[in-house]
Amino acid sequence: EGKERQIAEQRAELNQQRLLTAVVFMVAFVIFFVIYTMQRRKAYKKLDATNRQLLIANERAEESSRMKTKFIQQISHEVRTPLNVLSGFSQVLANPAIEISGDQLQDISQKIVDNSERITHLIDKMLDLSQINSHAVIECLDTVRPSEVAEQAVSESGILQAAHLQFLLQQSPEAEQLTIVTNRKSASKALSLLLGNAIKFTHPLALKGKTTADHMQHVLLAVSADDHYVSYTLEDTGIGVPPEQAENIFSEFVQLDEYSDGTGIGLSIARSLARQMGGDI
């Protein structure tokens, strides 16, 4: 009986050890399965994130390619139009059989000048874009008054000659009493590009014939200053920009209105110039 009891105890202990071993094995298997599942899930998430990044990069590449193609087409149109005008009037002036009055000659001369300046401005934009993409440093060595930058930009943009709008330049007393160290040419260029947009995108109302004083568009350039910055604030009564596009308009080759003239690089150049001088738009 003692031996049988001893054998029974040994069998019970052996069964207990077998059960414990099975439990340990099952626990280890479950832990391994959980870890394996978590690793697989992390790998899938990482792969999914990589795929999303690749899709986004591919979409951006396709969008960039589409915009560059559109840019080349737009440039071709922008150059071809004034060249056709110059070529046509040159042929008229070179033909001795065509009689031209003094008024007609003056009108032709003005159109030749305007279209020559249009091509020159386009080439200047291309050079500015090339300089910006090369990340060239803009040296700020000019000591000027904020009003001088504004006045030069107004002159360069030709906004005072825009017959369809009224332009107003305002300065705060703080801005009138100080001088700043900047790059006068680049600062005026950036501001001139913004003024050029104000001219272009307030023009649709003028095309409808509403050019009386009561219906004219308005553009305001306000110059102010605080302890850190001089601010040039430009407001106009043009077509405006949708809020969701307020950042996109500074991307290269972007044009919200595909039917308007232009290359889609003016605002990009303006912001880049401002940032290279320590400012922003």
Side-chain angles (χ1 to χ4, degrees):
E1 289 179 0
K3 287 182 179 181
E4 288 178 356
R5 190 165 46 252
Q6 187 177 4
I7 292 172
E9 289 176 355
Q10 289 177 351
R11 286 179 177 175
E13 185 178 354
L14 182 60
N15 289 334
Q16 188 176 6
Q17 290 178 353
R18 287 176 178 174
L19 180 61
L20 182 61
T21 302
V23 170
V24 171
F25 176 78
M26 290 297 296
V27 171
F29 177 78
V30 170
I31 293 174
F32 171 78
F33 182 77
V34 170
I35 293 175
Y36 175 77
T37 303
M38 291 176 64
Q39 292 294 334
R40 286 292 297 273
R41 185 174 299 175
K42 287 182 180 179
Y44 278 125
K45 286 183 178 180
K46 187 176 181 180
L47 182 62
D48 185 53
T50 302
N51 287 337
R52 283 200 301 269
Q53 291 175 357
L54 289 174
L55 288 173
I56 293 173
N58 186 53
E59 290 175 357
R60 287 179 177 173
E62 290 178 353
E63 179 67 11
S64 176
S65 177
R66 185 188 68 80
M67 293 171 68
K68 286 179 180 179
T69 300
K70 179 185 171 185
F71 172 70
I72 293 172
Q73 295 172 346
Q74 193 71 26
I75 284 290
S76 301
H77 170 73
E78 288 285 315
V79 173
R80 187 183 297 111
T81 301
L83 281 179
N84 288 339
V85 174
L86 294 175
S87 176
F89 284 129
S90 298
Q91 293 175 21
V92 170
L93 294 175
N95 191 338
I98 300 178
E99 296 183 0
I100 303 175
S101 66
D103 292 339
Q104 289 175 329
L105 182 59
Q106 184 176 358
D107 183 58
I108 290 174
S109 300
Q110 185 60 48
K111 288 181 178 178
I112 289 176
V113 171
D114 292 342
N115 283 276
S116 298
E117 290 180 350
R118 183 175 175 182
I119 294 177
T120 301
H121 291 158
L122 180 61
I123 293 174
D124 288 342
K125 276 189 178 181
M126 299 299 297
L127 292 175
D128 290 335
L129 183 63
S130 175
Q131 181 183 11
I132 289 168
N133 289 332
S134 67
H135 303 290
V137 177
I138 296 179
E139 294 184 342
C140 295
L141 303 175
D142 301 323
T143 302
V144 296
R145 293 187 178 278
S147 59
E148 294 175 333
V149 175
E151 290 165 1
Q152 183 172 334
V154 169
S155 176
E156 291 174 355
S157 68
I159 195 168
L160 294 178
Q161 287 73 47
H164 68 282
L165 58 81
Q166 292 180 339
F167 175 73
L168 179 63
L169 174 61
Q170 290 181 347
Q171 295 186 76
S172 68
E174 293 80 8
E176 292 178 348
Q177 296 173 2
L178 55 81
T179 58
I180 56 175
V181 179
T182 184
N183 186 297
R184 179 170 180 167
K185 180 180 178 181
S186 296
S188 300
K189 179 72 174 181
L191 190 55
S192 173
L193 290 168
L194 296 180
L195 288 168
N197 262 31
I199 297 172
K200 181 166 65 174
F201 292 109
T202 55
H203 209 280
L205 187 60
L207 296 179
K208 298 177 182 178
K210 298 180 179 180
T211 55
T212 62
D214 295 336
H215 293 93
M216 289 182 72
Q217 299 279 24
H218 295 267
V219 176
L220 168 67
L221 175 58
V223 186
S224 59
D226 56 25
D227 294 337
H228 303 286
Y229 288 99
V230 170
S231 299
Y232 297 88
T233 305
L234 186 63
E235 299 179 6
D236 64 59
T237 55
I239 62 175
V241 178
E244 66 274 10
Q245 295 289 344
E247 185 65 24
N248 189 35
I249 59 174
F250 292 100
S251 302
E252 291 180 2
F253 317 125
V254 169
Q255 283 185 289
L256 301 187
D257 184 1
E258 296 184 356
Y259 299 100
S260 65
D261 292 333
T263 57
I265 59 176
L267 291 179
S268 176
I269 292 173
R271 172 181 271 189
S272 296
L273 289 173
R275 288 181 172 179
Q276 284 179 293
M277 293 182 290
D280 205 354
I281 297 179

